Amino acid sequence: MSKKWYIVHTYSGHEGKAKQALLDRAKALSREDLFDEILIPEETVVEMAKGGERKTSKRKFFPGYILVHMELNDETWHIVKDTPKITGFVGGGTNPPPIDDDEVARMTRQIQEGAAKPKPKIRFEEGENVRVVSGPFANFQGFVDEVRPDKEKVRVMVQVFGRATPVELDYTQLEKA
């Protein structure tokens, strides 16, 4: 049999512990040769913390799920099913459907791109009220006139001397009002 990718359901928020428990269980049973890779699909995001400093964190694409590259048979099915923090395979039954290698490759690329260039955690929409948190216009309030997600910039209309003035700012310089 060849190894294929399967989606495994875990307790939400315990994906890392489920991954480690599965690796430990396979090793304890001397069956680690039947398991190749275990992925937690996540991306790196940047947000502004209190005090105006950037904070980088991880955000899961599919909370409560991990991807396991394994050879599926009765023994490995029971190893996965009986692992703490894991509730079972997606697709149910004793013969869950594998997911396509192309889909896993796409997710892996997304994970690598997210690690190389973190995405902002907050998204802005045109017409939304915002407050500037840093820079020369700190504490000014205004509304979003234009959003440029590719450059992570926002044009905000702020009131300066009673006139609406366009100001181009980074996502990290703003917060939703």
Side-chain angles (χ1 to χ4, degrees):
M1 271 184 89
S2 64
K3 294 179 181 159
K4 294 189 169 137
W5 286 99
Y6 296 92
I7 303 174
V8 175
H9 190 263
T10 68
Y11 294 162
S12 190
H14 294 268
E15 297 85 355
K17 290 178 183 173
K19 174 183 176 177
Q20 192 58 51
L22 182 55
L23 290 169
D24 292 346
R25 188 164 164 73
K27 188 174 183 175
L29 297 169
S30 300
R31 303 311 279 156
E32 61 258 60
D33 58 316
L34 299 174
F35 295 86
D36 267 352
E37 196 175 351
I38 301 174
L39 283 179
I40 302 171
E42 59 190 4
E43 64 184 341
T44 306
V45 293
V46 176
E47 62 184 315
M48 289 301 284
K50 297 219 189 267
E53 58 193 56
R54 285 178 174 231
K55 180 181 155 197
T56 305
S57 60
K58 300 271 187 190
R59 182 175 68 199
K60 292 171 182 60
F61 293 137
F62 311 111
Y65 297 94
I66 59 175
L67 303 175
V68 181
H69 193 234
M70 60 181 271
E71 187 175 310
L72 183 67
N73 58 36
D74 283 346
E75 184 182 15
T76 57
W77 185 88
H78 282 289
I79 289 172
V80 171
K81 192 82 170 110
D82 297 337
T83 300
K85 309 273 188 244
I86 291 179
T87 58
F89 288 91
V90 171
T94 55
N95 194 13
I99 57 172
D100 195 37
D101 286 342
D102 294 337
E103 185 67 22
V104 175
R106 186 185 63 77
M107 277 190 250
T108 305
R109 271 194 311 278
Q110 229 175 333
I111 291 168
Q112 289 167 346
E113 287 170 10
K117 187 172 189 294
K119 295 181 181 173
K121 191 168 187 173
I122 300 173
R123 305 261 184 240
F124 295 100
E125 296 177 20
E126 289 182 18
E128 191 171 32
N129 288 324
V130 292
R131 186 173 76 81
V132 182
V133 293
S134 66
F137 294 97
N139 298 322
F140 277 68
Q141 295 213 6
F143 67 91
V144 177
D145 185 45
E146 183 184 354
V147 180
R148 293 193 201 121
D150 53 325
K151 295 192 185 325
E152 296 181 14
K153 299 264 185 198
V154 179
R155 185 167 61 204
V156 177
M157 301 300 280
V158 295
Q159 291 287 325
V160 179
F161 302 121
R163 303 181 104 157
T165 307
V167 179
E168 187 166 291
L169 301 166
D170 289 335
Y171 280 7
T172 56
Q173 291 179 285
L174 297 171
E175 69 180 21
K176 294 184 181 200

